[in-house]
């Protein structure tokens, strides 16, 4: 990727294992020039493209704009290069900033000092033009977020166009036990091969993350259509372009008519799921019942089933085994002709589902290695 005529380079970060599906999402937005690395997908694009990517991608975390890449074998070179960036042309001196470091380098081993020297470079650039005034540092809620990626051969400095990570869609203010992150839930659904038409069932739906993400996928709703982004604090932010882009995305929302079913045994999680569906005004498409899915009377044949059963250490292994076995029996008996995706970080328990998997995909839930198990049930 080195043809600058086609726009500038942006990098979208994601959870390990979701790179391929994220790249497909970006292609589906009409952006063709992409590249894939470990936990990142790069693309060349225009302002409209990165506005669109921020609003639309379901599996991305941050959309970063590359400012500069250079070699720095010591901290003085790092400072000198950071100072060469025209920071004062990127954002107003009144904006607050935060600097983060990712990756590792044998020559720049002290990440606090890396931050310190980049900060000096930024502040000295501003000082040169504004006497002794300089931007404030704000670690909790900065207007501008700067990220340095280190490798042994180079340093890359990015501006984070997203700000808050993109899994924060704004619909979840409270969560139940062991929630799954929104980007991972969406990634699992996109990897599942769901036809986007069959009804959806999550038999252990917790706060309803799978159901909300599936709803947005089926109806082509960009997950972050109503959010704000850090690029709105940049000098080159084009509000008219942003609003026009957002309007055109809203016009592409459809009404799929798909229904979403859930069971949840825990009172608090059930309450939270109800609150989320009401807040999003999607409760009419949802049929979430409080109770044990194993006692459900209905038939769920032909549905798309997606769930992450409990796997935490607080439950006894025997109980976990039984739950996974019961889930397997439930799928066999009540979910004929369906496509089921079960996500778990308990690889031992997963064996007790007792059905032949059509695919096993390695993913992570935070630091825990996990599997997405796919089943085709006849
Ligand atoms: C790992 S959590 C799922 C989290 C969910 N994906 C979310 O995003 O909030 C597992 C959930 O299964 C529920 N659960 C466990 N056994 C159940 C059963 N037999 N019937 C219904 N729900 C059950 C638990 O209460 C818990 O909320």
């Amino acid at each position: 990727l080195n043809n600058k005529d086609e726009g500038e380079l942006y990098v979208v970060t994601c959870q390990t294992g979701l790179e391929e599906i994220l790249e497909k999402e970006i292609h589906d937005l009409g952006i063709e020039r992409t590249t894939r690395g470990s936990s990142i997908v790069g693309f060349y694009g225009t302002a409209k493209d990165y506005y669109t990517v921020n609003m639309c991608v379901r599996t991305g975390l941050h959309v970063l704009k590359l400012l500069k890449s250079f070699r720095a074998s010591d901290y003085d070179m790092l400072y000198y290069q950071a100072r060469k960036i025209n920071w004062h042309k990127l954002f107003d001196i009144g904006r607050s900033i935060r600097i983060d470091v990712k990756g590792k380098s044998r020559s720049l081993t002290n990440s606090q000092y890396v931050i310190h020297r980049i900060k000096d470079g930024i502040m000295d650039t501003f000082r040169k033009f504004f006497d002794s005034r300089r931007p404030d540092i704000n670690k909790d809620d900065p207007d501008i977020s700067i990220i340095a990626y280190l490798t042994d051969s180079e340093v890359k400095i990015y501006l984070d166009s997203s700000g808050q990570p993109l899994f924060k869609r704004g619909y979840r203010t409270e969560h139940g036990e062991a929630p799954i992150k929104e980007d991972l839930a969406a990634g699992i659904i996109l990897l599942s091969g769901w036809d986007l038409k069959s009804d959806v069932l999550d038999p252990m739906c917790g706060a309803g993350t799978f159901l909300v993400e599936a709803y947005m996928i089926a109806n082509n709703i960009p997950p972050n259509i109503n959010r704000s982004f850090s690029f709105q604090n940049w000098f080159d932010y084009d509000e008219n372009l942003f609003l026009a882009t957002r309007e055109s995305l809203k016009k592409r929302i459809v009404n799929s008519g798909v229904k979403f079913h859930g069971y949840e045994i825990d009172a608090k999680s059930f309450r939270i799921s109800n609150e989320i569906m009401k807040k999003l005004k999607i409760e009419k498409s949802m049929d979430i019942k409080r109770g044990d899915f194993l006692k459900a009377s209905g038939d769920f044949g032909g549905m798309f089933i997606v769930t992450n059963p409990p796997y935490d250490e607080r439950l006894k292994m025997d109980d976990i085994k039984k739950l996974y076995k019961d889930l397997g029996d439930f799928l066999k008996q009540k979910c004929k002709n369906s496509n089921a995706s079960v996500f778990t970080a308990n690889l031992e328990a997963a064996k007790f589902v007792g059905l032949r998997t059509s695919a096993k995909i390695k993913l992570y839930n935070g630091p825990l290695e996990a599997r997405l198990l796919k089943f085709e049930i006849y």
Side-chain angles (χ1 to χ4, degrees), residues 172 177-180 203-210 263-266 269 291-293 308-310 323:
R172 191 154 70 180
E177 293 269 308
I180 190 161
M204 291 172 264
C205 71
T209 317
F210 280 124
Y263 284 83
E264 175 50 53
I265 208 161
D266 173 64
S269 301
D292 184 345
F293 75 95
N308 69 312
L323 179 65

mmCIF file of all heavy atoms in Angstrom, residues 172 177-180 203-210 263-266 269 291-293 308-310 323, ligand 1:
data_model
loop_
_atom_site.group_PDB
_atom_site.id
_atom_site.type_symbol
_atom_site.label_atom_id
_atom_site.label_comp_id
_atom_site.label_asym_id
_atom_site.label_seq_id
_atom_site.Cartn_x
_atom_site.Cartn_y
_atom_site.Cartn_z
ATOM 1 N N ARG A 172 -25.189 0.182 25.828
ATOM 2 C CA ARG A 172 -25.037 -0.560 27.077
ATOM 3 C C ARG A 172 -24.413 0.323 28.137
ATOM 4 O O ARG A 172 -23.257 0.715 28.018
ATOM 5 C CB ARG A 172 -24.175 -1.783 26.841
ATOM 6 C CG ARG A 172 -24.201 -2.713 28.012
ATOM 7 C CD ARG A 172 -23.908 -4.110 27.613
ATOM 8 N NE ARG A 172 -22.520 -4.291 27.225
ATOM 9 C CZ ARG A 172 -22.035 -5.456 26.844
ATOM 10 N NH1 ARG A 172 -22.818 -6.505 26.751
ATOM 11 N NH2 ARG A 172 -20.780 -5.567 26.519
ATOM 12 N N GLU A 177 -23.860 -10.443 34.153
ATOM 13 C CA GLU A 177 -22.696 -11.289 34.416
ATOM 14 C C GLU A 177 -21.975 -11.602 33.110
ATOM 15 O O GLU A 177 -22.623 -11.917 32.115
ATOM 16 C CB GLU A 177 -23.176 -12.623 35.010
ATOM 17 C CG GLU A 177 -23.781 -12.523 36.373
ATOM 18 C CD GLU A 177 -22.749 -12.700 37.472
ATOM 19 O OE1 GLU A 177 -22.029 -13.707 37.415
ATOM 20 O OE2 GLU A 177 -22.679 -11.835 38.348
ATOM 21 N N ALA A 178 -20.653 -11.548 33.137
ATOM 22 C CA ALA A 178 -19.832 -11.995 32.016
ATOM 23 C C ALA A 178 -20.361 -11.575 30.655
ATOM 24 O O ALA A 178 -20.674 -12.411 29.826
ATOM 25 C CB ALA A 178 -19.701 -13.530 32.068
ATOM 26 N N PRO A 179 -20.471 -10.285 30.400
ATOM 27 C CA PRO A 179 -20.972 -9.864 29.097
ATOM 28 C C PRO A 179 -19.912 -10.112 28.024
ATOM 29 O O PRO A 179 -18.727 -10.237 28.348
ATOM 30 C CB PRO A 179 -21.169 -8.360 29.271
ATOM 31 C CG PRO A 179 -20.133 -7.971 30.264
ATOM 32 C CD PRO A 179 -19.999 -9.137 31.202
ATOM 33 N N ILE A 180 -20.355 -10.197 26.796
ATOM 34 C CA ILE A 180 -19.405 -10.326 25.697
ATOM 35 C C ILE A 180 -19.309 -8.947 25.055
ATOM 36 O O ILE A 180 -20.297 -8.231 24.974
ATOM 37 C CB ILE A 180 -19.884 -11.419 24.724
ATOM 38 C CG1 ILE A 180 -18.811 -11.733 23.713
ATOM 39 C CG2 ILE A 180 -21.180 -11.043 24.021
ATOM 40 C CD1 ILE A 180 -19.035 -13.084 23.045
ATOM 41 N N PRO A 203 -30.254 -18.737 23.571
ATOM 42 C CA PRO A 203 -30.910 -19.369 24.726
ATOM 43 C C PRO A 203 -30.352 -18.918 26.075
ATOM 44 O O PRO A 203 -30.965 -19.211 27.103
ATOM 45 C CB PRO A 203 -30.667 -20.864 24.498
ATOM 46 C CG PRO A 203 -29.498 -20.949 23.590
ATOM 47 C CD PRO A 203 -29.492 -19.710 22.759
ATOM 48 N N MET A 204 -29.200 -18.250 26.092
ATOM 49 C CA MET A 204 -28.623 -17.741 27.358
ATOM 50 C C MET A 204 -28.146 -16.328 27.083
ATOM 51 O O MET A 204 -26.955 -16.051 27.043
ATOM 52 C CB MET A 204 -27.469 -18.660 27.791
ATOM 53 C CG MET A 204 -27.954 -20.035 28.226
ATOM 54 S SD MET A 204 -26.607 -21.194 28.520
ATOM 55 C CE MET A 204 -26.548 -22.027 26.943
ATOM 56 N N CYS A 205 -29.113 -15.416 26.913
ATOM 57 C CA CYS A 205 -28.806 -14.150 26.220
ATOM 58 C C CYS A 205 -28.224 -13.066 27.105
ATOM 59 O O CYS A 205 -27.799 -12.030 26.585
ATOM 60 C CB CYS A 205 -30.028 -13.651 25.477
ATOM 61 S SG CYS A 205 -31.334 -13.052 26.562
ATOM 62 N N GLY A 206 -28.177 -13.252 28.422
ATOM 63 C CA GLY A 206 -27.592 -12.213 29.283
ATOM 64 C C GLY A 206 -28.240 -10.870 29.012
ATOM 65 O O GLY A 206 -29.460 -10.731 28.978
ATOM 66 N N ALA A 207 -27.387 -9.859 28.780
ATOM 67 C CA ALA A 207 -27.904 -8.513 28.502
ATOM 68 C C ALA A 207 -28.372 -8.363 27.058
ATOM 69 O O ALA A 207 -28.811 -7.288 26.655
ATOM 70 C CB ALA A 207 -26.834 -7.487 28.821
ATOM 71 N N GLY A 208 -28.244 -9.426 26.269
ATOM 72 C CA GLY A 208 -28.810 -9.407 24.912
ATOM 73 C C GLY A 208 -27.873 -8.880 23.838
ATOM 74 O O GLY A 208 -28.315 -8.477 22.762
ATOM 75 N N THR A 209 -26.570 -8.934 24.105
ATOM 76 C CA THR A 209 -25.610 -8.365 23.140
ATOM 77 C C THR A 209 -25.716 -9.017 21.753
ATOM 78 O O THR A 209 -25.738 -8.319 20.739
ATOM 79 C CB THR A 209 -24.169 -8.519 23.679
ATOM 80 O OG1 THR A 209 -24.175 -8.176 25.065
ATOM 81 C CG2 THR A 209 -23.208 -7.621 22.936
ATOM 82 N N PHE A 210 -25.779 -10.358 21.711
ATOM 83 C CA PHE A 210 -25.892 -11.022 20.398
ATOM 84 C C PHE A 210 -27.166 -10.581 19.675
ATOM 85 O O PHE A 210 -27.169 -10.384 18.470
ATOM 86 C CB PHE A 210 -25.920 -12.546 20.554
ATOM 87 C CG PHE A 210 -24.559 -13.162 20.755
ATOM 88 C CD1 PHE A 210 -24.289 -13.946 21.861
ATOM 89 C CD2 PHE A 210 -23.556 -12.987 19.815
ATOM 90 C CE1 PHE A 210 -23.048 -14.538 22.039
ATOM 91 C CE2 PHE A 210 -22.306 -13.568 19.973
ATOM 92 C CZ PHE A 210 -22.053 -14.348 21.095
ATOM 93 N N TYR A 263 -33.619 -16.343 25.982
ATOM 94 C CA TYR A 263 -33.964 -16.788 27.346
ATOM 95 C C TYR A 263 -32.859 -16.332 28.267
ATOM 96 O O TYR A 263 -31.685 -16.323 27.876
ATOM 97 C CB TYR A 263 -34.088 -18.323 27.420
ATOM 98 C CG TYR A 263 -35.366 -18.814 26.817
ATOM 99 C CD1 TYR A 263 -35.462 -19.006 25.446
ATOM 100 C CD2 TYR A 263 -36.494 -19.031 27.603
ATOM 101 C CE1 TYR A 263 -36.650 -19.410 24.870
ATOM 102 C CE2 TYR A 263 -37.685 -19.438 27.036
ATOM 103 C CZ TYR A 263 -37.765 -19.621 25.668
ATOM 104 O OH TYR A 263 -38.935 -20.003 25.102
ATOM 105 N N GLU A 264 -33.251 -15.941 29.467
ATOM 106 C CA GLU A 264 -32.234 -15.578 30.458
ATOM 107 C C GLU A 264 -32.781 -15.913 31.832
ATOM 108 O O GLU A 264 -33.870 -15.486 32.207
ATOM 109 C CB GLU A 264 -31.871 -14.097 30.328
ATOM 110 C CG GLU A 264 -30.910 -13.602 31.393
ATOM 111 C CD GLU A 264 -29.655 -14.452 31.581
ATOM 112 O OE1 GLU A 264 -28.943 -14.720 30.607
ATOM 113 O OE2 GLU A 264 -29.407 -14.887 32.738
ATOM 114 N N ILE A 265 -31.963 -16.674 32.568
ATOM 115 C CA ILE A 265 -32.419 -17.191 33.862
ATOM 116 C C ILE A 265 -32.211 -16.175 34.991
ATOM 117 O O ILE A 265 -32.935 -16.169 35.979
ATOM 118 C CB ILE A 265 -31.678 -18.529 34.152
ATOM 119 C CG1 ILE A 265 -32.518 -19.437 35.035
ATOM 120 C CG2 ILE A 265 -30.296 -18.305 34.728
ATOM 121 C CD1 ILE A 265 -32.062 -20.893 34.975
ATOM 122 N N ASP A 266 -31.244 -15.295 34.819
ATOM 123 C CA ASP A 266 -30.875 -14.375 35.899
ATOM 124 C C ASP A 266 -31.692 -13.075 35.819
ATOM 125 O O ASP A 266 -31.788 -12.447 34.757
ATOM 126 C CB ASP A 266 -29.370 -14.077 35.768
ATOM 127 C CG ASP A 266 -28.911 -13.001 36.720
ATOM 128 O OD1 ASP A 266 -28.992 -13.238 37.932
ATOM 129 O OD2 ASP A 266 -28.508 -11.925 36.246
ATOM 130 N N SER A 269 -29.749 -9.693 34.715
ATOM 131 C CA SER A 269 -29.403 -9.663 33.290
ATOM 132 C C SER A 269 -30.658 -9.503 32.441
ATOM 133 O O SER A 269 -30.667 -8.764 31.447
ATOM 134 C CB SER A 269 -28.677 -10.945 32.884
ATOM 135 O OG SER A 269 -27.513 -11.102 33.645
ATOM 136 N N GLY A 291 -36.188 -17.096 32.202
ATOM 137 C CA GLY A 291 -36.337 -18.494 32.595
ATOM 138 C C GLY A 291 -35.255 -19.376 32.006
ATOM 139 O O GLY A 291 -34.343 -18.903 31.326
ATOM 140 N N ASP A 292 -35.394 -20.672 32.290
ATOM 141 C CA ASP A 292 -34.430 -21.680 31.869
ATOM 142 C C ASP A 292 -34.785 -22.126 30.450
ATOM 143 O O ASP A 292 -35.897 -22.608 30.216
ATOM 144 C CB ASP A 292 -34.555 -22.859 32.860
ATOM 145 C CG ASP A 292 -33.540 -23.936 32.593
ATOM 146 O OD1 ASP A 292 -32.934 -23.933 31.509
ATOM 147 O OD2 ASP A 292 -33.378 -24.799 33.494
ATOM 148 N N PHE A 293 -33.867 -21.975 29.521
ATOM 149 C CA PHE A 293 -34.182 -22.361 28.127
ATOM 150 C C PHE A 293 -34.499 -23.853 28.023
ATOM 151 O O PHE A 293 -35.213 -24.285 27.115
ATOM 152 C CB PHE A 293 -33.053 -21.969 27.170
ATOM 153 C CG PHE A 293 -31.829 -22.851 27.248
ATOM 154 C CD1 PHE A 293 -31.658 -23.922 26.372
ATOM 155 C CD2 PHE A 293 -30.842 -22.617 28.194
ATOM 156 C CE1 PHE A 293 -30.545 -24.742 26.436
ATOM 157 C CE2 PHE A 293 -29.712 -23.429 28.279
ATOM 158 C CZ PHE A 293 -29.566 -24.496 27.403
ATOM 159 N N ASN A 308 -23.242 -17.618 24.056
ATOM 160 C CA ASN A 308 -22.047 -17.981 24.827
ATOM 161 C C ASN A 308 -22.476 -18.415 26.216
ATOM 162 O O ASN A 308 -22.860 -17.607 27.054
ATOM 163 C CB ASN A 308 -20.953 -16.908 24.828
ATOM 164 C CG ASN A 308 -21.278 -15.643 25.590
ATOM 165 O OD1 ASN A 308 -22.343 -15.074 25.434
ATOM 166 N ND2 ASN A 308 -20.351 -15.198 26.395
ATOM 167 N N PRO A 309 -22.446 -19.736 26.434
ATOM 168 C CA PRO A 309 -22.865 -20.277 27.730
ATOM 169 C C PRO A 309 -21.875 -19.843 28.812
ATOM 170 O O PRO A 309 -20.753 -19.465 28.499
ATOM 171 C CB PRO A 309 -22.796 -21.793 27.528
ATOM 172 C CG PRO A 309 -22.530 -22.031 26.102
ATOM 173 C CD PRO A 309 -21.969 -20.796 25.520
ATOM 174 N N PRO A 310 -22.292 -19.917 30.076
ATOM 175 C CA PRO A 310 -21.343 -19.587 31.144
ATOM 176 C C PRO A 310 -20.127 -20.502 31.068
ATOM 177 O O PRO A 310 -20.243 -21.650 30.666
ATOM 178 C CB PRO A 310 -22.129 -19.895 32.419
ATOM 179 C CG PRO A 310 -23.535 -20.058 32.017
ATOM 180 C CD PRO A 310 -23.573 -20.407 30.581
ATOM 181 N N LEU A 323 -24.483 -28.608 31.779
ATOM 182 C CA LEU A 323 -25.111 -27.529 31.008
ATOM 183 C C LEU A 323 -24.763 -27.658 29.517
ATOM 184 O O LEU A 323 -25.626 -27.519 28.652
ATOM 185 C CB LEU A 323 -24.658 -26.168 31.548
ATOM 186 C CG LEU A 323 -25.212 -24.959 30.812
ATOM 187 C CD1 LEU A 323 -26.728 -24.872 30.969
ATOM 188 C CD2 LEU A 323 -24.578 -23.671 31.332
HETATM 189 C C1 LIG B 1 -21.645 -15.751 29.568
HETATM 190 S S1 LIG B 1 -23.220 -15.136 29.941
HETATM 191 C C2 LIG B 1 -23.860 -14.537 28.425
HETATM 192 C C3 LIG B 1 -23.603 -13.074 28.257
HETATM 193 C C4 LIG B 1 -24.351 -12.477 27.088
HETATM 194 N N1 LIG B 1 -23.847 -12.962 25.807
HETATM 195 C C5 LIG B 1 -24.245 -10.973 27.173
HETATM 196 O O1 LIG B 1 -23.699 -10.372 26.277
HETATM 197 O O2 LIG B 1 -24.666 -10.393 28.161
HETATM 198 C C6 LIG B 1 -24.179 -16.590 30.171
HETATM 199 C C7 LIG B 1 -25.594 -16.327 30.607
HETATM 200 O O3 LIG B 1 -26.331 -17.536 30.605
HETATM 201 C C8 LIG B 1 -27.324 -17.461 31.622
HETATM 202 N N2 LIG B 1 -27.816 -18.835 31.877
HETATM 203 C C9 LIG B 1 -27.136 -19.844 32.446
HETATM 204 N N3 LIG B 1 -27.874 -20.978 32.449
HETATM 205 C C10 LIG B 1 -29.057 -20.675 31.849
HETATM 206 C C11 LIG B 1 -30.237 -21.420 31.546
HETATM 207 N N4 LIG B 1 -30.337 -22.719 31.856
HETATM 208 N N5 LIG B 1 -31.261 -20.778 30.930
HETATM 209 C C12 LIG B 1 -31.153 -19.462 30.601
HETATM 210 N N6 LIG B 1 -30.065 -18.711 30.887
HETATM 211 C C13 LIG B 1 -29.013 -19.297 31.480
HETATM 212 C C14 LIG B 1 -26.578 -16.789 32.757
HETATM 213 O O4 LIG B 1 -27.463 -16.215 33.682
HETATM 214 C C15 LIG B 1 -25.726 -15.756 32.006
HETATM 215 O O5 LIG B 1 -26.374 -14.501 31.949
#
